[in-house]
Amino acid sequence: MTDHDEHPGFDATHRGETFRRFDFTDTVFDDTYLVGARFKNVALKGARITGSQVVDVDISGEVERLTVNGVDVTDFVETELDRREPDRARMRPRKPAEFREAWDILERRWAETVERARRLDPELLHERVDGEWSFIETQRHLVFATDAWIRRALLGDPSPWSSLDLPHDDMADIPEVPRDQSVRPSLDEVLELRRDRMATMRTVVDGLTDDAVESRTTPVTEPGYPESRDFLVADVVGCIINEEWYHHQYAIRDLAVLESRGRHTG
């Protein structure tokens, strides 16, 4: 691999371009310059990187069977993450009591984090850090996730949406699902929705039984998201546990950056 600036013998350059919703399955990248490239919401299942420079690379996401120079480092990474954050291991519940314990943790953590966010200049809560969702966009997305998986898939409401719901970026537009990326609600507006959705989740986890977690949902036939099929209840409720945990991790990561800018309300 040579430096592109010193050895500009490339057939084409795509510097600074964004490739969105492209399918590169089975594509071969050979003698290709990817310095500074960013990969977001990509699927790299079965990817192979050989004979390459992998220097100062930062990977975050769902990692399974990651092998570096012949060594599977997956278990090491998972063990280290659990060591650093003991509550993380509790975010993989399968029994009713474990779901309740996980939700107790998430309720407490979000309450603390919201109080932390309130100390910032309200405008900062609309600000994205490194291109990721703002704090308020994160709250909107979690409202959407609960609407989709709990109120629709689990509880059977075919159209549970709020106008402030914010689907994930890589989801195709669905006419029945709101997706207004330009709206700028206040923190109190989105928190009112969050309190309602979190209360619904609390009711669900408190009502779980051993039989319930192993049962399947009744498919919702009307168009929307997720698709019209049945799901294992443990997977549906676990999806929200997972969403809440990881988006909380992203939120506190970005709040630290916003706090460093020194604009507080009091």
Side-chain angles (χ1 to χ4, degrees):
M1 181 73 66
T2 57
D3 185 270
H4 188 183
D5 291 326
E6 294 181 4
H7 304 279
F10 286 75
D11 295 330
T13 181
H14 296 282
R15 283 191 167 201
E17 293 186 27
T18 297
F19 296 92
R20 180 172 173 78
R21 304 192 69 82
F22 276 73
D23 185 351
F24 290 111
T25 300
D26 295 329
T27 301
V28 175
F29 297 91
D30 185 20
D31 196 18
T32 301
Y33 207 67
L34 293 171
V35 171
R38 298 183 55 171
F39 301 88
K40 182 179 180 182
N41 297 324
V42 298
L44 291 172
K45 296 178 181 178
R48 298 289 182 271
I49 301 173
T50 60
S52 302
Q53 296 178 4
V54 184
V55 179
D56 194 23
V57 173
D58 185 4
I59 300 173
S60 64
E62 184 178 342
V63 179
E64 297 179 17
R65 296 185 300 280
L66 175 63
T67 302
V68 179
N69 290 336
V71 179
D72 188 332
V73 300
T74 313
D75 286 346
F76 166 78
V77 172
E78 289 298 302
T79 300
E80 177 61 14
L81 289 173
D82 286 347
R83 184 193 68 79
R84 295 182 182 185
E85 187 61 271
D87 282 342
R88 183 176 183 270
R90 297 181 176 89
M91 297 300 127
R92 300 186 281 270
R94 299 307 293 179
K95 298 179 180 179
E98 294 172 346
F99 280 101
R100 287 188 276 275
E101 180 186 29
W103 193 246
D104 288 344
I105 292 168
L106 289 164
E107 283 183 328
R108 170 177 54 80
R109 286 189 166 226
W110 272 119
E112 295 168 350
T113 301
V114 166
E115 287 308 306
R116 182 176 168 186
R118 285 191 183 280
R119 293 194 289 269
L120 289 172
D121 182 332
E123 281 303 305
L124 286 178
L125 301 182
H126 292 285
E127 192 165 317
R128 291 187 170 191
V129 175
D130 200 24
E132 301 295 335
W133 274 335
S134 70
F135 188 82
I136 285 179
E137 286 173 322
T138 295
Q139 304 307 306
R140 292 177 58 199
H141 175 68
L142 291 172
V143 171
F144 162 77
T146 308
D147 284 348
W149 291 103
I150 300 300
R151 298 177 72 191
R152 176 179 161 89
L154 180 64
L155 301 180
D157 184 344
S159 184
W161 321 111
S162 160
S163 61
L164 294 181
D165 278 11
L166 184 62
H168 40 287
D169 288 342
D170 57 339
M171 189 185 92
D173 287 335
I174 300 174
E176 293 77 13
V177 182
R179 194 193 201 104
D180 188 347
Q181 295 178 323
S182 64
V183 67
R184 287 171 62 89
S186 69
L187 179 61
D188 285 335
E189 286 179 278
V190 293
L191 289 182
E192 182 178 356
L193 291 172
R194 283 283 281 145
R195 282 190 291 269
D196 177 75
R197 295 337 188 248
M198 292 181 83
T200 299
M201 182 68 172
R202 168 53 68 186
T203 300
V204 167
V205 297
D206 282 351
L208 286 176
T209 63
D210 289 333
D211 288 341
V213 295
E214 297 301 327
S215 66
R216 301 193 72 84
T217 64
T218 300
V220 176
T221 57
E222 291 86 346
Y225 179 89
E227 66 271 29
S228 299
R229 69 176 183 85
D230 65 329
F231 300 92
L232 185 67
V233 168
D235 290 343
V236 169
V237 183
C239 171
I240 298 304
I241 298 292
N242 185 74
E243 284 281 303
E244 294 277 356
W245 173 262
Y246 281 104
H247 282 288
H248 179 264
Q249 295 295 102
Y250 305 149
I252 59 175
R253 174 200 63 195
D254 294 346
L255 280 176
V257 175
L258 297 175
E259 287 167 341
S260 70
R261 297 175 184 172
R263 287 161 57 193
H264 294 72
T265 58

